[in-house]
Amino acid sequence: DPVLKFFMVKAIIFASFWQGVLLSFLELIDVIKDTTSGTDTATRVITTGEISASWQNFLICVEMLISAFLLRIAFPERVYDKDGGSRQKLSSNIRDTLNPKYMITDYIHNFSS
């Protein structure tokens, strides 16, 4: 479904952007404040920018976890399954990917003129 695919990609970008705007606004109205961290001998001030960036990073991680499940629905693997569902074992896929002969062949193919 192209609409679902479009919505999923746009939702990720939209949510990331607007949560950044919201966190900046929370900084501006002093909801997010500087704080200190450490012991009596080594104290460090953590700025509002660092706190906002940390929250932004955490929220993006949560969003990506949710998005990963929803993207599996939007981009089902059966559409890309050409041989009717026969699958190789993970170990054989890893072995093929890390095979030096394959790497050299792939390198020559991709970087030759």
Side-chain angles (χ1 to χ4, degrees):
D1 185 21
V3 175
L4 181 60
K5 293 174 184 177
F6 178 80
F7 173 74
M8 282 304 306
V9 172
K10 292 298 180 181
I12 292 168
I13 296 166
F14 181 83
S16 299
F17 172 76
W18 284 108
Q19 79 187 13
V21 170
L22 176 64
L23 288 167
S24 295
F25 179 72
L26 292 176
E27 274 184 66
L28 185 66
I29 62 172
D30 284 334
V31 172
I32 299 175
K33 299 177 181 167
D34 289 345
T35 188
T36 56
S37 172
T39 61
D40 293 338
T41 57
T43 304
R44 177 182 167 317
V45 175
I46 302 172
T47 64
T48 56
E50 291 173 315
I51 294 169
S52 291
S54 298
W55 274 108
Q56 175 94 16
N57 293 339
F58 172 74
L59 291 172
I60 286 175
C61 288
V62 172
E63 289 169 10
M64 291 304 112
L65 178 65
I66 295 167
S67 296
F69 290 110
L70 295 176
L71 284 169
R72 286 199 40 100
I73 295 169
F75 294 91
E77 66 184 64
R78 69 181 177 278
V79 175
Y80 307 101
D81 190 14
K82 294 179 183 175
D83 58 358
S86 66
R87 295 180 147 216
Q88 294 180 334
K89 291 184 178 180
L90 179 62
S91 60
S92 92
N93 287 337
I94 292 172
R95 186 181 66 244
D96 290 343
T97 303
L98 297 177
N99 182 351
K101 182 179 177 185
Y102 171 76
M103 288 182 190
I104 292 168
T105 305
D106 193 44
Y107 178 80
I108 292 169
H109 174 75
N110 287 317
F111 295 107
S112 63
S113 307

